[in-house]
PDB file of all heavy atoms in Angstrom:
ATOM      1  N   ALA A   1     157.939  20.461 -92.962  1.00 98.00           N
ATOM      2  CA  ALA A   1     157.835  20.920 -94.351  1.00 98.00           C
ATOM      3  C   ALA A   1     159.152  21.202 -94.970  1.00 98.00           C
ATOM      4  O   ALA A   1     159.371  20.920 -96.145  1.00 98.00           O
ATOM      5  CB  ALA A   1     156.916  22.223 -94.308  1.00 98.00           C
ATOM      6  N   ALA A   2     160.136  21.770 -94.224  1.00 95.00           N
ATOM      7  CA  ALA A   2     161.492  21.964 -94.687  1.00 95.00           C
ATOM      8  C   ALA A   2     162.085  20.706 -95.123  1.00 95.00           C
ATOM      9  O   ALA A   2     162.847  20.543 -96.042  1.00 95.00           O
ATOM     10  CB  ALA A   2     162.348  22.735 -93.699  1.00 95.00           C
ATOM     11  N   GLY A   3     161.887  19.602 -94.269  1.00 97.00           N
ATOM     12  CA  GLY A   3     162.483  18.308 -94.581  1.00 97.00           C
ATOM     13  C   GLY A   3     161.882  17.688 -95.847  1.00 97.00           C
ATOM     14  O   GLY A   3     162.672  17.173 -96.696  1.00 97.00           O
ATOM     15  N   VAL A   4     160.626  17.826 -96.067  1.00 98.00           N
ATOM     16  CA  VAL A   4     159.982  17.388 -97.232  1.00 98.00           C
ATOM     17  C   VAL A   4     160.551  18.083 -98.473  1.00 98.00           C
ATOM     18  O   VAL A   4     160.902  17.463 -99.507  1.00 98.00           O
ATOM     19  CB  VAL A   4     158.445  17.633 -97.254  1.00 98.00           C
ATOM     20  CG1 VAL A   4     157.785  17.327 -98.592  1.00 98.00           C
ATOM     21  CG2 VAL A   4     157.850  16.716 -96.098  1.00 98.00           C
ATOM     22  N   ALA A   5     160.753  19.499 -98.445  1.00 96.00           N
ATOM     23  CA  ALA A   5     161.269  20.214 -99.492  1.00 96.00           C
ATOM     24  C   ALA A   5     162.722  19.849 -99.855  1.00 96.00           C
ATOM     25  O   ALA A   5     163.114  19.752-100.977  1.00 96.00           O
ATOM     26  CB  ALA A   5     161.146  21.741 -99.209  1.00 96.00           C
ATOM     27  N   THR A   6     163.388  19.484 -98.791  1.00 95.00           N
ATOM     28  CA  THR A   6     164.890  19.141 -98.938  1.00 95.00           C
ATOM     29  C   THR A   6     164.937  17.759 -99.666  1.00 95.00           C
ATOM     30  O   THR A   6     165.752  17.562-100.555  1.00 95.00           O
ATOM     31  CB  THR A   6     165.643  19.159 -97.610  1.00 95.00           C
ATOM     32  OG1 THR A   6     165.506  20.357 -97.119  1.00 95.00           O
ATOM     33  CG2 THR A   6     167.072  18.885 -97.763  1.00 95.00           C
ATOM     34  N   LEU A   7     164.130  16.852 -99.221  1.00 97.00           N
ATOM     35  CA  LEU A   7     164.145  15.494 -99.902  1.00 97.00           C
ATOM     36  C   LEU A   7     163.732  15.700-101.299  1.00 97.00           C
ATOM     37  O   LEU A   7     164.397  14.958-102.140  1.00 97.00           O
ATOM     38  CB  LEU A   7     163.014  14.576 -99.190  1.00 97.00           C
ATOM     39  CG  LEU A   7     163.419  14.059 -97.818  1.00 97.00           C
ATOM     40  CD1 LEU A   7     162.211  13.421 -97.205  1.00 97.00           C
ATOM     41  CD2 LEU A   7     164.555  13.071 -97.927  1.00 97.00           C
ATOM     42  N   ARG A   8     162.718  16.482-101.656  1.00 97.00           N
ATOM     43  CA  ARG A   8     162.409  16.684-103.095  1.00 97.00           C
ATOM     44  C   ARG A   8     163.467  17.286-103.794  1.00 97.00           C
ATOM     45  O   ARG A   8     163.794  16.969-104.982  1.00 97.00           O
ATOM     46  CB  ARG A   8     161.102  17.484-103.208  1.00 97.00           C
ATOM     47  CG  ARG A   8     159.876  16.865-102.636  1.00 97.00           C
ATOM     48  CD  ARG A   8     158.579  17.441-103.136  1.00 97.00           C
ATOM     49  NE  ARG A   8     157.414  17.101-102.360  1.00 97.00           N
ATOM     50  CZ  ARG A   8     156.877  15.825-102.390  1.00 97.00           C
ATOM     51  NH1 ARG A   8     157.472  14.786-103.044  1.00 97.00           N
ATOM     52  NH2 ARG A   8     155.840  15.535-101.589  1.00 97.00           N
ATOM     53  N   GLN A   9     164.162  18.198-103.248  1.00 95.00           N
ATOM     54  CA  GLN A   9     165.378  18.919-103.883  1.00 95.00           C
ATOM     55  C   GLN A   9     166.440  17.825-104.289  1.00 95.00           C
ATOM     56  O   GLN A   9     166.853  17.845-105.500  1.00 95.00           O
ATOM     57  CB  GLN A   9     165.986  19.978-102.915  1.00 95.00           C
ATOM     58  CG  GLN A   9     167.341  20.506-103.402  1.00 95.00           C
ATOM     59  CD  GLN A   9     167.965  21.397-102.391  1.00 95.00           C
ATOM     60  OE1 GLN A   9     167.602  22.548-102.309  1.00 95.00           O
ATOM     61  NE2 GLN A   9     168.908  20.815-101.556  1.00 95.00           N
ATOM     62  N   TYR A  10     166.743  17.004-103.431  1.00 97.00           N
ATOM     63  CA  TYR A  10     167.789  15.962-103.692  1.00 97.00           C
ATOM     64  C   TYR A  10     167.256  15.012-104.538  1.00 97.00           C
ATOM     65  O   TYR A  10     168.041  14.375-105.468  1.00 97.00           O
ATOM     66  CB  TYR A  10     168.420  15.451-102.413  1.00 97.00           C
ATOM     67  CG  TYR A  10     169.246  16.461-101.764  1.00 97.00           C
ATOM     68  CD1 TYR A  10     169.106  16.846-100.467  1.00 97.00           C
ATOM     69  CD2 TYR A  10     170.313  17.104-102.430  1.00 97.00           C
ATOM     70  CE1 TYR A  10     169.848  17.748 -99.810  1.00 97.00           C
ATOM     71  CE2 TYR A  10     171.096  18.101-101.894  1.00 97.00           C
ATOM     72  CZ  TYR A  10     170.932  18.429-100.528  1.00 97.00           C
ATOM     73  OH  TYR A  10     171.682  19.347 -99.980  1.00 97.00           O
ATOM     74  N   ALA A  11     165.961  14.655-104.584  1.00 98.00           N
ATOM     75  CA  ALA A  11     165.440  13.651-105.545  1.00 98.00           C
ATOM     76  C   ALA A  11     165.537  14.193-106.931  1.00 98.00           C
ATOM     77  O   ALA A  11     165.761  13.448-107.927  1.00 98.00           O
ATOM     78  CB  ALA A  11     163.994  13.336-105.159  1.00 98.00           C
ATOM     79  N   GLU A  12     165.346  15.509-107.100  1.00 97.00           N
ATOM     80  CA  GLU A  12     165.498  16.134-108.456  1.00 97.00           C
ATOM     81  C   GLU A  12     166.935  16.281-108.860  1.00 97.00           C
ATOM     82  O   GLU A  12     167.232  16.037-110.009  1.00 97.00           O
ATOM     83  CB  GLU A  12     164.748  17.432-108.394  1.00 97.00           C
ATOM     84  CG  GLU A  12     163.244  17.382-108.249  1.00 97.00           C
ATOM     85  CD  GLU A  12     162.539  16.762-109.405  1.00 97.00           C
ATOM     86  OE1 GLU A  12     163.002  16.859-110.538  1.00 97.00           O
ATOM     87  OE2 GLU A  12     161.610  16.003-109.144  1.00 97.00           O
ATOM     88  N   LEU A  13     167.760  16.603-107.917  1.00 96.00           N
ATOM     89  CA  LEU A  13     169.179  16.830-108.195  1.00 96.00           C
ATOM     90  C   LEU A  13     169.969  15.601-108.464  1.00 96.00           C
ATOM     91  O   LEU A  13     170.894  15.541-109.284  1.00 96.00           O
ATOM     92  CB  LEU A  13     169.899  17.695-107.266  1.00 96.00           C
ATOM     93  CG  LEU A  13     169.359  19.152-107.115  1.00 96.00           C
ATOM     94  CD1 LEU A  13     170.052  19.797-105.956  1.00 96.00           C
ATOM     95  CD2 LEU A  13     169.732  19.941-108.361  1.00 96.00           C
ATOM     96  N   GLY A  14     169.618  14.505-107.782  1.00 96.00           N
ATOM     97  CA  GLY A  14     170.363  13.328-107.881  1.00 96.00           C
ATOM     98  C   GLY A  14     170.600  12.781-109.163  1.00 96.00           C
ATOM     99  O   GLY A  14     171.812  12.443-109.532  1.00 96.00           O
ATOM    100  N   PRO A  15     169.671  12.540-110.052  1.00 96.00           N
ATOM    101  CA  PRO A  15     169.821  11.907-111.286  1.00 96.00           C
ATOM    102  C   PRO A  15     170.614  12.707-112.321  1.00 96.00           C
ATOM    103  O   PRO A  15     171.148  12.258-113.260  1.00 96.00           O
ATOM    104  CB  PRO A  15     168.418  11.729-111.798  1.00 96.00           C
ATOM    105  CG  PRO A  15     167.500  11.634-110.676  1.00 96.00           C
ATOM    106  CD  PRO A  15     168.246  12.644-109.673  1.00 96.00           C
ATOM    107  N   VAL A  16     170.716  14.008-112.053  1.00 95.00           N
ATOM    108  CA  VAL A  16     171.552  14.894-112.882  1.00 95.00           C
ATOM    109  C   VAL A  16     172.966  15.300-112.212  1.00 95.00           C
ATOM    110  O   VAL A  16     173.504  16.273-112.682  1.00 95.00           O
ATOM    111  CB  VAL A  16     170.844  16.141-113.354  1.00 95.00           C
ATOM    112  CG1 VAL A  16     169.611  15.710-114.245  1.00 95.00           C
ATOM    113  CG2 VAL A  16     170.273  16.929-112.285  1.00 95.00           C
ATOM    114  N   HIS A  17     173.342  14.618-111.181  1.00 93.00           N
ATOM    115  CA  HIS A  17     174.584  14.953-110.504  1.00 93.00           C
ATOM    116  C   HIS A  17     175.657  14.867-111.553  1.00 93.00           C
ATOM    117  O   HIS A  17     175.829  13.882-112.125  1.00 93.00           O
ATOM    118  CB  HIS A  17     174.800  14.095-109.252  1.00 93.00           C
ATOM    119  CG  HIS A  17     175.919  14.485-108.516  1.00 93.00           C
ATOM    120  ND1 HIS A  17     176.859  13.544-108.124  1.00 93.00           N
ATOM    121  CD2 HIS A  17     176.405  15.665-108.145  1.00 93.00           C
ATOM    122  CE1 HIS A  17     177.824  14.133-107.424  1.00 93.00           C
ATOM    123  NE2 HIS A  17     177.633  15.443-107.330  1.00 93.00           N
ATOM    124  N   ARG A  18     176.563  15.786-111.561  1.00 83.00           N
ATOM    125  CA  ARG A  18     177.457  15.996-112.586  1.00 83.00           C
ATOM    126  C   ARG A  18     178.682  15.070-112.588  1.00 83.00           C
ATOM    127  O   ARG A  18     179.099  14.505-111.591  1.00 83.00           O
ATOM    128  CB  ARG A  18     177.937  17.422-112.598  1.00 83.00           C
ATOM    129  CG  ARG A  18     178.779  17.845-111.420  1.00 83.00           C
ATOM    130  CD  ARG A  18     179.452  19.121-111.493  1.00 83.00           C
ATOM    131  NE  ARG A  18     180.275  19.380-110.437  1.00 83.00           N
ATOM    132  CZ  ARG A  18     180.062  20.077-109.393  1.00 83.00           C
ATOM    133  NH1 ARG A  18     178.845  20.607-109.272  1.00 83.00           N
ATOM    134  NH2 ARG A  18     180.947  20.306-108.403  1.00 83.00           N
ATOM    135  N   GLY A  19     179.251  14.885-113.813  1.00 86.00           N
ATOM    136  CA  GLY A  19     180.455  14.368-114.063  1.00 86.00           C
ATOM    137  C   GLY A  19     181.140  15.331-115.067  1.00 86.00           C
ATOM    138  O   GLY A  19     180.410  16.163-115.550  1.00 86.00           O
ATOM    139  N   ARG A  20     182.409  15.031-115.593  1.00 90.00           N
ATOM    140  CA  ARG A  20     182.859  15.948-116.592  1.00 90.00           C
ATOM    141  C   ARG A  20     183.941  15.247-117.364  1.00 90.00           C
ATOM    142  O   ARG A  20     184.605  14.317-116.947  1.00 90.00           O
ATOM    143  CB  ARG A  20     183.348  17.251-116.148  1.00 90.00           C
ATOM    144  CG  ARG A  20     184.503  17.175-115.215  1.00 90.00           C
ATOM    145  CD  ARG A  20     184.868  18.617-114.669  1.00 90.00           C
ATOM    146  NE  ARG A  20     185.908  18.636-113.703  1.00 90.00           N
ATOM    147  CZ  ARG A  20     187.190  18.905-114.082  1.00 90.00           C
ATOM    148  NH1 ARG A  20     187.514  19.220-115.301  1.00 90.00           N
ATOM    149  NH2 ARG A  20     188.044  18.956-113.109  1.00 90.00           N
ATOM    150  N   ALA A  21     184.019  15.626-118.693  1.00 91.00           N
ATOM    151  CA  ALA A  21     184.945  14.969-119.586  1.00 91.00           C
ATOM    152  C   ALA A  21     186.190  15.892-119.525  1.00 91.00           C
ATOM    153  O   ALA A  21     186.119  17.133-119.314  1.00 91.00           O
ATOM    154  CB  ALA A  21     184.488  14.916-121.057  1.00 91.00           C
ATOM    155  N   LEU A  22     187.327  15.328-119.683  1.00 91.00           N
ATOM    156  CA  LEU A  22     188.620  16.081-119.687  1.00 91.00           C
ATOM    157  C   LEU A  22     189.223  16.055-121.128  1.00 91.00           C
ATOM    158  O   LEU A  22     188.973  15.175-121.892  1.00 91.00           O
ATOM    159  CB  LEU A  22     189.587  15.385-118.735  1.00 91.00           C
ATOM    160  CG  LEU A  22     189.176  15.213-117.366  1.00 91.00           C
ATOM    161  CD1 LEU A  22     190.243  14.428-116.555  1.00 91.00           C
ATOM    162  CD2 LEU A  22     188.990  16.550-116.666  1.00 91.00           C
ATOM    163  N   ALA A  23     189.914  17.105-121.432  1.00 89.00           N
ATOM    164  CA  ALA A  23     190.529  17.264-122.695  1.00 89.00           C
ATOM    165  C   ALA A  23     191.905  16.562-122.733  1.00 89.00           C
ATOM    166  O   ALA A  23     192.827  17.005-122.054  1.00 89.00           O
ATOM    167  CB  ALA A  23     190.745  18.760-123.042  1.00 89.00           C
ATOM    168  N   GLY A  24     191.874  15.450-123.398  1.00 88.00           N
ATOM    169  CA  GLY A  24     193.064  14.578-123.376  1.00 88.00           C
ATOM    170  C   GLY A  24     193.420  14.307-124.804  1.00 88.00           C
ATOM    171  O   GLY A  24     193.141  15.003-125.784  1.00 88.00           O
ATOM    172  N   ASP A  25     194.056  13.012-125.030  1.00 88.00           N
ATOM    173  CA  ASP A  25     194.459  12.585-126.275  1.00 88.00           C
ATOM    174  C   ASP A  25     193.289  12.324-127.225  1.00 88.00           C
ATOM    175  O   ASP A  25     192.250  11.879-126.728  1.00 88.00           O
ATOM    176  CB  ASP A  25     195.310  11.298-126.081  1.00 88.00           C
ATOM    177  CG  ASP A  25     196.103  10.898-127.305  1.00 88.00           C
ATOM    178  OD1 ASP A  25     195.340  10.633-128.400  1.00 88.00           O
ATOM    179  OD2 ASP A  25     197.221  10.815-127.371  1.00 88.00           O
ATOM    180  N   ILE A  26     193.371  12.638-128.436  1.00 88.00           N
ATOM    181  CA  ILE A  26     192.290  12.480-129.352  1.00 88.00           C
ATOM    182  C   ILE A  26     191.787  11.035-129.413  1.00 88.00           C
ATOM    183  O   ILE A  26     190.677  10.727-129.795  1.00 88.00           O
ATOM    184  CB  ILE A  26     192.503  13.026-130.703  1.00 88.00           C
ATOM    185  CG1 ILE A  26     191.247  13.180-131.666  1.00 88.00           C
ATOM    186  CG2 ILE A  26     193.633  12.222-131.455  1.00 88.00           C
ATOM    187  CD1 ILE A  26     190.283  14.118-131.152  1.00 88.00           C
ATOM    188  N   ASP A  27     192.758  10.083-129.173  1.00 87.00           N
ATOM    189  CA  ASP A  27     192.367   8.662-129.299  1.00 87.00           C
ATOM    190  C   ASP A  27     191.959   8.030-127.952  1.00 87.00           C
ATOM    191  O   ASP A  27     191.824   6.886-127.893  1.00 87.00           O
ATOM    192  CB  ASP A  27     193.665   7.907-129.903  1.00 87.00           C
ATOM    193  CG  ASP A  27     193.985   8.315-131.347  1.00 87.00           C
ATOM    194  OD1 ASP A  27     193.056   8.553-132.079  1.00 87.00           O
ATOM    195  OD2 ASP A  27     195.232   8.372-131.588  1.00 87.00           O
ATOM    196  N   ALA A  28     191.672   8.862-126.971  1.00 91.00           N
ATOM    197  CA  ALA A  28     191.321   8.368-125.723  1.00 91.00           C
ATOM    198  C   ALA A  28     190.025   9.100-125.096  1.00 91.00           C
ATOM    199  O   ALA A  28     189.780  10.221-125.657  1.00 91.00           O
ATOM    200  CB  ALA A  28     192.569   8.471-124.734  1.00 91.00           C
ATOM    201  N   LEU A  29     189.521   8.543-124.116  1.00 93.00           N
ATOM    202  CA  LEU A  29     188.400   9.260-123.441  1.00 93.00           C
ATOM    203  C   LEU A  29     188.778   9.260-121.988  1.00 93.00           C
ATOM    204  O   LEU A  29     189.103   8.305-121.337  1.00 93.00           O
ATOM    205  CB  LEU A  29     187.105   8.387-123.609  1.00 93.00           C
ATOM    206  CG  LEU A  29     185.908   8.928-122.834  1.00 93.00           C
ATOM    207  CD1 LEU A  29     185.472  10.285-123.403  1.00 93.00           C
ATOM    208  CD2 LEU A  29     184.719   7.920-122.923  1.00 93.00           C
ATOM    209  N   ASP A  30     188.693  10.533-121.490  1.00 94.00           N
ATOM    210  CA  ASP A  30     188.994  10.879-120.058  1.00 94.00           C
ATOM    211  C   ASP A  30     187.713  11.421-119.418  1.00 94.00           C
ATOM    212  O   ASP A  30     187.279  12.455-119.877  1.00 94.00           O
ATOM    213  CB  ASP A  30     190.212  11.774-119.954  1.00 94.00           C
ATOM    214  CG  ASP A  30     191.498  11.128-120.312  1.00 94.00           C
ATOM    215  OD1 ASP A  30     192.214  10.463-119.494  1.00 94.00           O
ATOM    216  OD2 ASP A  30     191.826  11.184-121.527  1.00 94.00           O
ATOM    217  N   VAL A  31     187.330  10.748-118.263  1.00 95.00           N
ATOM    218  CA  VAL A  31     185.991  11.225-117.646  1.00 95.00           C
ATOM    219  C   VAL A  31     186.256  11.212-116.210  1.00 95.00           C
ATOM    220  O   VAL A  31     186.894  10.372-115.688  1.00 95.00           O
ATOM    221  CB  VAL A  31     184.881  10.297-118.031  1.00 95.00           C
ATOM    222  CG1 VAL A  31     183.671  10.635-117.193  1.00 95.00           C
ATOM    223  CG2 VAL A  31     184.606  10.253-119.516  1.00 95.00           C
ATOM    224  N   MET A  32     185.762  12.269-115.574  1.00 94.00           N
ATOM    225  CA  MET A  32     185.729  12.282-114.109  1.00 94.00           C
ATOM    226  C   MET A  32     184.198  11.950-113.717  1.00 94.00           C
ATOM    227  O   MET A  32     183.326  12.722-114.044  1.00 94.00           O
ATOM    228  CB  MET A  32     186.139  13.645-113.559  1.00 94.00           C
ATOM    229  CG  MET A  32     187.537  14.041-113.776  1.00 94.00           C
ATOM    230  SD  MET A  32     188.049  15.599-113.159  1.00 94.00           S
ATOM    231  CE  MET A  32     187.802  15.456-111.410  1.00 94.00           C
ATOM    232  N   ALA A  33     184.068  10.808-112.991  1.00 94.00           N
ATOM    233  CA  ALA A  33     182.780  10.424-112.648  1.00 94.00           C
ATOM    234  C   ALA A  33     182.603  10.385-111.117  1.00 94.00           C
ATOM    235  O   ALA A  33     183.514  10.166-110.392  1.00 94.00           O
ATOM    236  CB  ALA A  33     182.635   8.934-113.060  1.00 94.00           C
ATOM    237  N   TYR A  34     181.511  10.804-110.672  1.00 95.00           N
ATOM    238  CA  TYR A  34     181.184  10.816-109.296  1.00 95.00           C
ATOM    239  C   TYR A  34     180.471   9.494-108.824  1.00 95.00           C
ATOM    240  O   TYR A  34     179.452   9.110-109.440  1.00 95.00           O
ATOM    241  CB  TYR A  34     180.220  12.038-108.966  1.00 95.00           C
ATOM    242  CG  TYR A  34     180.878  13.440-108.902  1.00 95.00           C
ATOM    243  CD1 TYR A  34     181.217  13.952-110.094  1.00 95.00           C
ATOM    244  CD2 TYR A  34     181.242  13.994-107.772  1.00 95.00           C
ATOM    245  CE1 TYR A  34     181.806  15.256-110.076  1.00 95.00           C
ATOM    246  CE2 TYR A  34     181.860  15.270-107.722  1.00 95.00           C
ATOM    247  CZ  TYR A  34     182.149  15.790-108.916  1.00 95.00           C
ATOM    248  OH  TYR A  34     182.787  17.047-108.909  1.00 95.00           O
ATOM    249  N   THR A  35     181.070   8.832-107.933  1.00 97.00           N
ATOM    250  CA  THR A  35     180.486   7.555-107.487  1.00 97.00           C
ATOM    251  C   THR A  35     180.263   7.566-105.894  1.00 97.00           C
ATOM    252  O   THR A  35     180.804   8.363-105.226  1.00 97.00           O
ATOM    253  CB  THR A  35     181.478   6.499-107.790  1.00 97.00           C
ATOM    254  OG1 THR A  35     182.758   6.697-107.065  1.00 97.00           O
ATOM    255  CG2 THR A  35     181.798   6.341-109.221  1.00 97.00           C
ATOM    256  N   PRO A  36     179.350   6.787-105.405  1.00 98.00           N
ATOM    257  CA  PRO A  36     179.073   6.732-104.040  1.00 98.00           C
ATOM    258  C   PRO A  36     180.224   6.564-103.187  1.00 98.00           C
ATOM    259  O   PRO A  36     181.145   5.739-103.523  1.00 98.00           O
ATOM    260  CB  PRO A  36     177.961   5.597-103.937  1.00 98.00           C
ATOM    261  CG  PRO A  36     177.403   5.414-105.290  1.00 98.00           C
ATOM    262  CD  PRO A  36     178.585   5.726-106.192  1.00 98.00           C
ATOM    263  N   ARG A  37     180.280   7.036-101.942  1.00 98.00           N
ATOM    264  CA  ARG A  37     181.361   6.803-101.072  1.00 98.00           C
ATOM    265  C   ARG A  37     181.285   5.382-100.430  1.00 98.00           C
ATOM    266  O   ARG A  37     182.249   4.775-100.119  1.00 98.00           O
ATOM    267  CB  ARG A  37     181.391   7.804 -99.899  1.00 98.00           C
ATOM    268  CG  ARG A  37     181.971   9.206-100.560  1.00 98.00           C
ATOM    269  CD  ARG A  37     182.295  10.167 -99.450  1.00 98.00           C
ATOM    270  NE  ARG A  37     182.947  11.308-100.068  1.00 98.00           N
ATOM    271  CZ  ARG A  37     184.266  11.468-100.253  1.00 98.00           C
ATOM    272  NH1 ARG A  37     185.023  10.413 -99.883  1.00 98.00           N
ATOM    273  NH2 ARG A  37     184.814  12.484-100.803  1.00 98.00           N
ATOM    274  N   GLY A  38     179.977   4.948-100.294  1.00 98.00           N
ATOM    275  CA  GLY A  38     179.786   3.601 -99.633  1.00 98.00           C
ATOM    276  C   GLY A  38     178.784   3.701 -98.508  1.00 98.00           C
ATOM    277  O   GLY A  38     177.604   3.816 -98.732  1.00 98.00           O
ATOM    278  N   VAL A  39     179.277   3.587 -97.327  1.00 98.00           N
ATOM    279  CA  VAL A  39     178.518   3.627 -96.120  1.00 98.00           C
ATOM    280  C   VAL A  39     178.598   4.960 -95.337  1.00 98.00           C
ATOM    281  O   VAL A  39     179.699   5.396 -94.995  1.00 98.00           O
ATOM    282  CB  VAL A  39     178.777   2.476 -95.111  1.00 98.00           C
ATOM    283  CG1 VAL A  39     177.836   2.514 -93.917  1.00 98.00           C
ATOM    284  CG2 VAL A  39     178.707   1.182 -95.783  1.00 98.00           C
TER     285      VAL A  39
END
């Protein structure tokens, strides 16, 4: 049951996993994005 609950927790959190914008030059966009590590 704990395993089921944990799977559901990450299924809900995954799509909203955060990134953030940085305050930089007004003519540019600076973003920190979270990407998969791989294997």
Side-chain angles (χ1 to χ4, degrees):
V4 171
T6 305
L7 287 168
R8 296 203 192 286
Q9 168 185 277
Y10 288 125
E12 293 296 323
L13 291 173
V16 294
H17 186 227
R18 66 175 185 258
R20 63 188 177 95
L22 302 174
D25 195 297
I26 191 64
D27 293 326
L29 176 65
D30 291 271
V31 176
M32 293 179 65
Y34 285 77
T35 60
R37 286 190 173 271
V39 182

